[in-house]
């Protein structure tokens, strides 16, 4: 009887942990789902991932070698994604996910290479700033770098 009770407790605990892992909302999971929706041009889903007022910035180097910072709001990003022609192909290949999490704040950094119509377009690093609101991670700020050289 003790063995049966012991085995039952083990299975219950394993089941509880399995459910917790599969439904867990993590910063990495949010960013992975973001890129799935991005590649599908699913702006409705992309909108759900961001907090109202989320900001986007890009750092690049202009023709004269000066650092340029471009700022946009998330709604403009969504319009840009929706305006990509259906016949165009694009893929942002993520090389790794670096995560730093502290309570309700997380940073997910993702080095990437972007291909447009099968050709290298640029590469860089994305840095997602996430905040957990009511148990759900949301993007509040996204900044990336964009370079065209050294994209090995």
């Amino acid at each position: 009887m003790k063995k049966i009770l012991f085995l039952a407790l083990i299975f219950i605990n394993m089941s509880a942990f399995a459910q917790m892992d599969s439904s867990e909302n993590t910063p990495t999971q949010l960013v992975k789902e973001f890129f799935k929706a991005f590649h599908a041009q699913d702006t409705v889903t992309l909108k759900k991932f961001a907090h109202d007022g989320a900001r986007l910035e890009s750092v690049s180097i202009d023709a004269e070698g000066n650092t340029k910072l471009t700022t946009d709001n998330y709604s403009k990003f969504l319009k840009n994604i929706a305006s990509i022609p259906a016949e165009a192909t694009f893929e942002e290949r993520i090389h790794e996910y670096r995560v730093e999490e502290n309570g309700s704040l997380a940073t997910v950094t993702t080095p990437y290479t972007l291909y447009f119509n099968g050709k290298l377009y640029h590469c860089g690093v994305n840095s997602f700033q996430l905040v957990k609101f009511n148990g759900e991670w949301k993007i509040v700020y996204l900044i990336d770098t964009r370079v065209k050289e050294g994209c090995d």
Side-chain angles (χ1 to χ4, degrees):
M1 181 68 160
K2 287 183 183 180
K3 287 182 183 180
I4 293 173
L5 182 59
F6 178 73
L7 288 174
L9 287 173
I10 288 176
F11 285 122
I12 289 169
N13 283 335
M14 287 174 55
S15 174
F17 282 118
Q19 288 176 0
M20 192 183 313
D21 290 343
S22 66
S23 64
E24 191 175 353
N25 178 14
T26 67
T28 303
Q29 179 184 1
L30 173 81
V31 174
K32 285 181 178 181
E33 293 298 317
F34 170 91
F35 282 110
K36 282 182 190 174
F38 173 76
H39 291 122
Q41 292 179 266
D42 182 352
T43 56
V44 172
T45 300
L46 285 169
K47 185 175 182 178
K48 291 177 185 177
F49 294 141
H51 187 266
D52 291 339
R55 261 191 19 222
L56 283 81
E57 295 188 319
S58 291
V59 179
S60 59
I61 306 296
D62 67 17
E64 291 80 39
N66 300 311
T67 301
K68 181 180 172 186
L69 180 66
T70 306
T71 303
D72 281 316
N73 60 39
Y74 200 77
S75 61
K76 185 175 179 185
F77 163 74
L78 295 175
K79 288 177 188 173
N80 289 340
I81 295 302
S83 71
I84 296 172
E87 63 275 3
T89 61
F90 64 99
E91 178 187 11
E92 188 160 331
R93 294 182 190 164
I94 304 303
H95 304 297
E96 68 177 303
Y97 295 85
R98 300 176 195 148
V99 181
E100 189 169 331
E101 185 179 341
N102 188 337
S104 294
L105 178 66
T107 301
V108 180
T109 307
T110 60
Y112 73 91
T113 307
L114 180 66
Y115 293 87
F116 190 77
N117 289 329
K119 295 182 181 178
L120 175 67
Y121 194 67
H122 66 255
C123 62
V125 175
N126 299 306
S127 179
F128 292 83
Q129 304 300 307
L130 309 175
V131 174
K132 190 182 256 186
F133 295 96
N134 300 318
E136 188 175 2
W137 291 104
K138 295 283 187 176
I139 300 166
V140 295
Y141 180 67
L142 172 57
I143 188 167
D144 65 58
T145 60
R146 298 177 185 186
V147 297
K148 294 192 181 243
E149 298 174 2
C151 299
D152 297 312

